[in-house]
Amino acid sequence: MSSRFTFYPLFRLSVVLATGIFLSYLLQATDEWVPALLFLFVLSVLLCLLSYHINSYSRRFVFGLSAAGSFMLLGGILYIIACDKVDYQWPSAESVYIGTVTDIPHRKGKTIQATVSVEHLKDTLSHEWKQVNREIMLYWMPDSVQSLKCGDRICFFSRIRKPASDVDFSGFDYGRYLEIQGISGTAIAYAGHWKKLSQAGNPTFTQRALLLREQVVAIYRSWGLSENVLAVVSALTVGDKAELTQDLKATYSAAGASHILALSGLHIGILTMIFSWLLYPLRYVRGGRWIMGVSLVLMLWGFAFLAGLSASVVRAVTMFTIYTLASVVSEERFSGFSALSLAAFLMLLYQPMYLFDISFQLSFVAVFSILLFYPLLSRLFHPRSKIVKYIWNILSLSMAAQLGTLPFVLYYFGAFPAYFLLANLVVAPLSICILSITLLALLLSVYTPWIGNFVAQGVDIAVRILNGAMEQIQHWSGAQITSVYISGWQAVLLSVLLLALWQYWINRRARGLIVFLLCLNVLLVSFVVNSIKDTEDYLYLTRAGIYTKHDRQINELFAVSHIYKVKHICVARLDDGKWKNQQTHHPLSVDYVYICRGFKGSLNDIVSLFHIGRVILDGSLSESSREKLKRECEAVGLDYMDISEKGSYAILL
């Protein structure tokens, strides 16, 4: 690979397209900007066409700048269009909606959750049906008579809200996350407020893929696998993470192997290797190179369909498809860097929101980092033993991927697994083994179920070994370094530092070393400034619990009595009926009464128990309950705050 990856036109186009998307997001561009951007885009394209035939070398930059400007403006326009497809002004009151369940319903606590494509809503004034065509996240209370599956049509009565965002508390913008996924709102339908419609629509191609994935998971269940084994097999082979528990996720995260539970480029790479071995004899027949390439692509897309056509799988299969077909067509071997750039470019053209998807970022950065650093790391050591060479290649691959993703991991998660190299020595061979045996067992289960069940015992053994190894690594001292968050600017500096290190490693020029040392010094200074800067402590009231936050470190508080005392602040969380009809001669002084879903009774029941500073009404309360409590607060002269839109309430300690 050239030491200057800007030589690749696809890379430059992908960068300027992504820049245009990011600038539109940063400037909060709306559809009012589209006419002006379209005008500038047309001018840039015309200038690009006029300057294409310029022969003077000193003026060739005009073509490059106009081409870059065209794709940057295109990125901005595509982002605005994508946002417009998601954004919708939902009615403020409860309304009747008709939609279709577009994915597999999963249980979430007492409710069942699935994505629903809302087609129509009934206007409360004119009683006419209005077209909507937006997707929402719907939670509904289960019904003993009727149930829903992917592809079913549903009529429900509820209030749809825009997803609440709470960046200040957790650093995770849930509303932004759902927007990236194409979700326009969230709603809950209580028992008796939803009904399955008799007429079912024709399932889409994606819905057929999801239903097939459910059938595959049902076969896994028929093998009699334990819960944790079933969860890992489902996640590793078909990308179904519904069975994964928080403890299991934490185990793999602490060991540095959480990537194995997210079906993506690693798994597609393993499958490509397995399928290539199976198809290798085709090379010896006439036109075998073409037959092998096309067969490999068809097998990969067949697996993508089996895995439910999830975004991460489609992304990885797209990249491997481009690489495989281009390698067949071109006389010289197609560059993996070009395949990566083209895949990113095409996916951003299709869906600009992918740029803000964490899995998209980590996936492409990991592959990009492997292409940069793996050749350098693998050449540092030349063992003669094949076993030692195999181990060193796995370690080099793991180190290369971790180097590139380090800024993103520290920025988003603030944690780093200390034993990721050892974990990947176990994960790499076992993941190949699990994928191979599982696919074989599935194939046999279709024709000879008893042989398939027998082969599945090998899957059970391999996954138990994998789970046991990850649990062992998790319990080692210092397995995970936590609370090492960095800011966005520090992440950018760290990324530039790593690129400068790679550049200097390649050509040994002073310029690369100067940039590396400059970034290193600025980064160290920023760490020192952050360490001496005073950081305020906050107490957060959220529907998930009550937390304290220092900088980006979050700790959850527990109290059996539901009375929380933090420094000079006292909070009473009310989410049940034990306060109803209670009396006391000595009311407790509390700064805040936090009322959540599950509270039974009225404000009169708690006024006699507490001297209240302010009442906080959580978004988990129904609309009618919140309005009732607001009226009661006004009647007795109590200050109150409704946090249904924001999602949490912050108190400075």
Side-chain angles (χ1 to χ4, degrees):
M1 180 189 293
S2 169
S3 62
R4 290 182 62 189
F5 42 79
T6 52
F7 283 156
Y8 295 86
L10 287 171
F11 177 80
R12 297 199 297 268
L13 291 179
S14 300
V15 169
V16 295
L17 183 69
T19 302
I21 295 170
F22 181 74
L23 287 176
S24 284
Y25 160 71
L26 203 63
L27 298 173
Q28 298 182 349
T30 62
D31 51 3
E32 296 175 354
W33 294 40
V34 172
L37 292 178
L38 278 173
F39 177 74
L40 293 174
F41 174 71
V42 172
L43 287 181
S44 297
V45 172
L46 290 175
L47 182 60
C48 184
L49 294 174
L50 292 172
S51 60
Y52 180 74
H53 295 288
I54 293 178
N55 295 323
S56 174
Y57 181 78
S58 61
R59 297 179 181 177
R60 287 293 294 171
F61 73 92
V62 176
F63 172 75
L65 287 177
S66 57
S70 300
F71 281 97
M72 190 178 295
L73 291 165
L74 178 62
I77 294 168
L78 291 175
Y79 172 79
I80 295 171
I81 294 172
C83 287
D84 193 53
K85 288 180 180 179
V86 176
D87 189 47
Y88 192 81
Q89 292 299 120
W90 299 102
S92 57
E94 292 180 316
S95 302
V96 178
Y97 299 91
I98 289 178
T100 302
V101 180
T102 57
D103 70 349
I104 305 299
H106 295 292
R107 182 169 288 276
K108 293 288 183 180
K110 296 181 179 179
T111 64
I112 299 175
Q113 169 254 315
T115 304
V116 172
S117 177
V118 177
E119 300 155 6
H120 298 91
L121 72 85
K122 192 172 186 179
D123 189 277
T124 53
L125 297 177
S126 63
H127 300 289
E128 295 180 354
W129 290 98
K130 292 184 177 180
Q131 196 169 9
V132 177
N133 294 330
R134 295 292 190 278
E135 290 197 341
I136 68 165
M137 191 70 70
L138 180 65
Y139 300 82
W140 66 88
M141 302 298 293
D143 193 304
S144 58
V145 178
Q146 53 184 346
S147 61
L148 295 171
K149 64 179 185 299
C150 182
D152 285 343
R153 302 192 73 230
I154 179 177
C155 178
F156 63 96
F157 178 71
S158 181
R159 180 188 176 188
I160 301 177
R161 308 170 185 269
K162 287 189 176 182
S165 299
D166 194 15
V167 184
D168 293 336
F169 164 57
S170 63
F172 177 65
D173 191 338
Y174 183 64
R176 181 64 179 163
Y177 167 77
L178 290 183
E179 182 184 4
I180 291 168
Q181 307 303 318
I183 304 299
S184 300
T186 60
I188 181 169
Y190 296 100
H193 286 188
W194 66 271
K195 180 181 180 181
K196 177 181 174 181
L197 299 179
S198 56
Q199 68 273 24
N202 294 323
T204 63
F205 190 71
T206 302
Q207 289 170 7
R208 292 179 190 274
L210 289 170
L211 291 171
L212 178 61
R213 188 178 73 177
E214 278 297 289
Q215 293 176 14
V216 172
V217 175
I219 294 175
Y220 292 164
R221 292 193 182 97
S222 70
W223 292 346
L225 304 176
S226 64
E227 289 184 2
N228 283 349
V229 173
L230 174 64
V232 172
V233 172
S234 300
L236 195 151
T237 59
V238 292
D240 184 1
K241 296 186 282 187
E243 305 291 336
L244 290 174
T245 62
Q246 290 299 325
D247 290 341
L248 198 58
K249 291 179 183 177
T251 297
Y252 276 77
S253 177
S258 56
H259 58 278
I260 200 66
L261 301 178
L263 195 59
S264 58
L266 171 66
H267 307 75
I268 303 303
I270 293 172
L271 280 172
T272 302
M273 180 180 64
I274 295 171
F275 293 156
S276 297
W277 287 344
L278 296 174
L279 297 171
Y280 192 78
L282 292 174
R283 284 183 170 270
Y284 298 104
V285 302
R286 188 176 180 181
R289 190 180 176 198
W290 273 94
I291 298 172
M292 181 178 174
V294 173
S295 299
L296 180 58
V297 168
L298 291 175
M299 292 172 78
L300 288 177
W301 280 106
F303 175 79
F305 186 80
L306 189 72
L309 293 175
S310 65
S312 60
V313 175
V314 170
R315 181 166 58 240
V317 172
T318 300
M319 188 175 66
F320 278 92
T321 297
I322 293 169
Y323 180 79
T324 301
L325 294 180
S327 298
V328 171
V329 173
S330 60
E331 294 182 1
E332 298 181 359
R333 190 169 183 181
F334 190 65
S335 166
F337 192 80
S338 296
L340 178 70
S341 301
L342 181 57
F345 180 76
L346 293 176
M347 296 198 76
L348 289 177
L349 277 180
Y350 170 72
Q351 177 51 272
M353 289 294 188
Y354 282 155
L355 182 65
F356 307 100
D357 189 340
I358 297 175
S359 64
F360 178 90
Q361 296 171 12
L362 290 176
S363 177
F364 276 95
V365 169
V367 177
F368 178 69
S369 182
I370 288 171
L371 293 172
L372 291 184
F373 290 104
Y374 174 70
L376 306 179
L377 293 170
S378 62
R379 289 198 294 264
L380 290 177
F381 182 48
H382 300 281
R384 294 183 178 179
S385 170
K386 290 185 177 180
I387 296 176
V388 177
K389 185 178 181 180
Y390 170 76
I391 293 173
W392 177 246
N393 285 336
I394 291 177
L395 294 177
S396 299
L397 194 69
S398 180
M399 284 189 288
Q402 289 288 346
L403 267 176
T405 56
L406 180 63
F408 293 82
V409 170
L410 295 182
Y411 173 71
Y412 286 119
F413 309 112
F416 186 77
Y419 305 116
F420 70 93
L421 289 176
L422 292 175
N424 280 283
L425 282 177
V426 178
V427 165
L430 282 178
S431 58
I432 296 174
C433 178
I434 293 168
L435 266 172
S436 303
I437 300 175
T438 304
L439 289 176
L440 178 61
L442 271 176
L443 186 63
L444 292 172
S445 295
V446 175
Y447 301 103
T448 52
W450 66 274
I451 298 179
N453 290 342
F454 177 76
V455 175
Q457 299 307 308
V459 178
D460 185 71
I461 294 170
V463 175
R464 285 182 185 275
I465 294 172
L466 180 62
N467 287 348
M470 296 304 102
E471 288 174 5
Q472 186 64 42
I473 293 174
Q474 181 194 25
H475 292 130
W476 287 353
S477 177
Q480 191 173 37
I481 303 169
T482 58
S483 301
V484 283
Y485 288 100
I486 61 175
S487 65
W489 286 111
Q490 287 173 332
V492 171
L493 278 172
L494 185 54
S495 300
V496 175
L497 183 148
L498 290 171
L499 287 174
L501 174 64
W502 173 81
Q503 184 75 13
Y504 176 71
W505 199 341
I506 289 290
N507 53 35
R508 304 293 179 177
R509 291 182 181 175
R511 183 171 56 185
L513 182 60
I514 291 171
V515 174
F516 171 78
L517 293 175
L518 181 63
C519 290
L520 180 61
N521 279 281
V522 174
L523 194 61
L524 291 174
V525 169
S526 69
F527 287 143
V528 172
V529 171
N530 284 344
S531 66
I532 62 177
K533 184 174 64 176
D534 290 334
T535 304
E536 296 176 327
D537 294 335
Y538 286 90
L539 179 69
Y540 276 90
L541 312 182
T542 77
R543 66 191 65 182
I546 295 182
Y547 302 83
T548 58
K549 182 178 181 182
H550 175 77
D551 196 9
R552 293 178 72 177
Q553 299 180 29
I554 299 172
N555 296 303
E556 186 175 3
L557 304 181
F558 298 94
V560 177
S561 64
H562 289 198
I563 306 295
Y564 300 83
K565 181 73 175 178
V566 183
K567 293 186 178 179
H568 59 283
I569 301 295
C570 185
V571 178
R573 177 186 170 98
L574 312 183
D575 57 3
D576 52 31
K578 71 178 183 180
W579 312 99
K580 192 175 182 179
N581 299 324
Q582 298 293 321
Q583 294 182 350
T584 180
H585 296 292
H586 304 285
L588 177 66
S589 293
V590 294
D591 299 282
Y592 300 91
V593 166
Y594 182 38
I595 304 179
C596 306
R597 185 181 174 189
F599 172 72
K600 295 179 176 59
S602 66
L603 200 64
N604 293 328
D605 295 318
I606 60 174
V607 167
S608 60
L609 302 176
F610 302 106
H611 291 308
I612 303 170
R614 170 176 279 190
V615 175
I616 309 298
L617 304 176
D618 187 66
S620 61
L621 294 166
S622 66
E623 185 72 21
S624 58
S625 296
R626 280 202 311 277
E627 293 302 322
K628 173 176 173 291
L629 289 168
K630 286 178 184 179
R631 291 193 297 270
E632 291 177 353
C633 286
E634 292 169 356
V636 296
L638 274 178
D639 185 25
Y640 66 87
M641 173 70 69
D642 183 354
I643 61 170
S644 57
E645 296 297 330
K646 181 171 174 52
S648 74
Y649 184 78
I651 304 168
L652 180 63
L653 296 175

